[in-house]
Amino acid sequence: MSPERTDAPTEERPEDGPAGETHAHTEPGAPAEHRAGAAHLSREQQVLERIDKARHRKAKVKDERITLAHGSGGKATHTLIEAVFLEAFRNPLLEGLEDQATPVVDGVRLAFTTDSFVVSPLVFPGGDIGDLAVNGTVNDLAMSGAQPLHLSAGFILEEGFPLVDLERIVGSMSEAASSAGVAVVTGDTKVVERGKADGCYINTAGIGVIRHDLQLGASRARPGDAVIVSGPIGDHGVTIMLARGELEIEADVSSDTAPMHDLVERLLDATTEVHALRDATRGGVATILNEVAKASNTAVVLDEEAVPVRPEVTGACEILGIDPLYVACEGRLVAVVDGAAADQALEALRSHPLGAGAAVIGRVKDDPPGLVLLKTTFGGTRIVDVLVGDPLPRIC
């Protein structure tokens, strides 16, 4: 990763000034002691206070129309969810904003999730939209510690879509479901006019049973925890970009799409000190760690040298001007584990084929709360902000 890249986008800034601004911000009529106090704040303190203020401001969608950024999984997506969907549907199960709800029915803890897939192209090295849809929903269930059981599959097809392509996609879904030990038990099909869609979109929903006593969630991270990633990051997002042929470059990289419930099971069997699990899909590792830092009011400090990235992915990201920390994975998880149990967790992950490349990439700290920081290979430290915009649209 290049430390010179300014991956924290700049087109959306706190209303009260850019993060790099250095003057103290006080109201003209503020008491003299407040103005004096602000004047004594260091530049770093002023920046952190403004970021904290911006992050705790009530979400408000400023755009009049939906943009691709609203589907990126980054800042625009979170703003849309909090300002529109959460305001309309607010309830205790939804407010945690995890990838799945975990209702208790007749004493049984369930996990329930849904996801939609609009990836382009439909077929890519390492997979297609069919197995991606199954694996993505299985993984959303698995991140709560659930054993996935049943899936639904909804198809939106464009008039003229080749039947042979649909049969291939459905075949991939069947193989992926069989491999994951889940069954597709219900579904729906709609066909829209030619030109109203891009061939095939798939929605999947899933339900599973949580058998562990653990309560997992981003808000449960605490200072001293280790941040572990299960393998090299960015493979899926870069694969999709290369498959589109827009970069006119070739690289030997394939999507990492895979079901991770067995990997999670092995981790949870090895230690009870796992506090949070996330699959690093849209927005990548950086975005989900920002969610962890914000939900738990802690800081996450990453070590750039410890973040595993394949050379091919690094090279493609440098051409694209994108930090691999923001590039989606479809078969990688991030685990936040008590620091004392980090070695035990690593051993468990590395004993599974999907976790062979697991590594501790950072630690949870108590300060500055709500932020993700990266210690660069050059010895500096920079803020890794939430993804803004959508540099890699329609990757899942």
Side-chain angles (χ1 to χ4, degrees), residues 77-312:
T77 302
H78 285 262
T79 300
L80 182 69
I81 291 172
E82 292 181 13
V84 179
F85 301 123
L86 185 57
E87 282 300 306
F89 304 135
R90 186 178 297 277
N91 62 71
L93 287 174
L94 182 62
E95 284 178 340
L97 296 180
E98 296 288 344
D99 288 338
Q100 67 296 120
T102 54
V104 178
V105 179
D106 292 337
V108 178
R109 291 179 65 205
L110 300 177
F112 178 47
T113 189
T114 186
D115 206 343
S116 297
F117 297 85
V118 297
V119 64
S120 177
L122 298 176
V123 180
F124 46 83
D128 60 32
I129 190 173
D131 54 48
L132 187 67
V134 170
N135 292 337
T137 297
V138 165
N139 291 341
D140 282 345
L141 294 171
M143 294 306 118
S144 67
Q147 177 64 40
L149 295 177
H150 302 303
L151 304 184
S152 72
F155 294 85
I156 299 176
L157 305 174
E158 182 182 6
E159 179 187 20
F161 187 65
L163 184 60
V164 65
D165 291 347
L166 178 61
E167 289 174 337
R168 169 181 172 151
I169 290 168
V170 173
S172 292
M173 294 184 73
S174 176
E175 291 179 11
S178 177
S179 176
V182 299
V184 178
V185 295
T186 187
D188 181 56
T189 304
K190 297 289 189 299
V191 178
V192 299
E193 297 91 337
R194 192 184 301 268
K196 299 294 185 182
D198 193 6
C200 174
Y201 300 146
I202 301 176
N203 172 270
T204 46
I207 190 167
V209 174
I210 302 173
R211 295 186 297 203
H212 291 268
D213 292 333
L214 290 176
Q215 297 283 347
L216 302 174
S219 64
R220 296 182 177 275
R222 59 193 186 208
D225 285 353
V227 179
I228 302 174
V229 66
S230 62
I233 64 172
D235 290 6
H236 177 73
V238 166
T239 296
I240 298 301
M241 290 304 296
L242 295 180
R244 291 175 186 168
E246 298 171 350
L247 301 181
E248 297 183 352
I249 60 173
E250 295 182 358
D252 185 18
V253 59
S254 299
S255 170
D256 55 8
T257 175
M260 292 189 286
H261 58 298
D262 284 343
L263 180 66
V264 171
E265 191 75 8
R266 191 165 299 189
L267 173 63
L268 298 183
D269 283 343
T271 175
T272 59
E273 299 301 324
V274 180
H275 297 155
L277 288 174
R278 289 291 181 93
D279 52 341
T281 54
R282 291 177 307 164
V285 171
T287 298
I288 63 173
L289 288 179
N290 269 279
E291 294 170 359
V292 168
K294 181 179 178 182
S296 60
N297 202 34
T298 61
V300 175
V301 181
L302 301 176
D303 180 355
E304 186 175 33
E305 287 187 330
V307 179
V309 187
R310 299 185 196 279
E312 301 90 335

Side-chain angles (χ1 to χ4, degrees), residues 362-387:
R363 298 280 173 176
V364 178
K365 306 285 186 180
D366 56 4
D367 186 67
L371 289 183
V372 178
L373 305 177
L374 179 72
K375 292 184 177 179
T376 72
T377 54
F378 288 88
T381 301
R382 63 181 173 90
I383 294 174
V384 179
D385 206 352
V386 180
L387 176 68

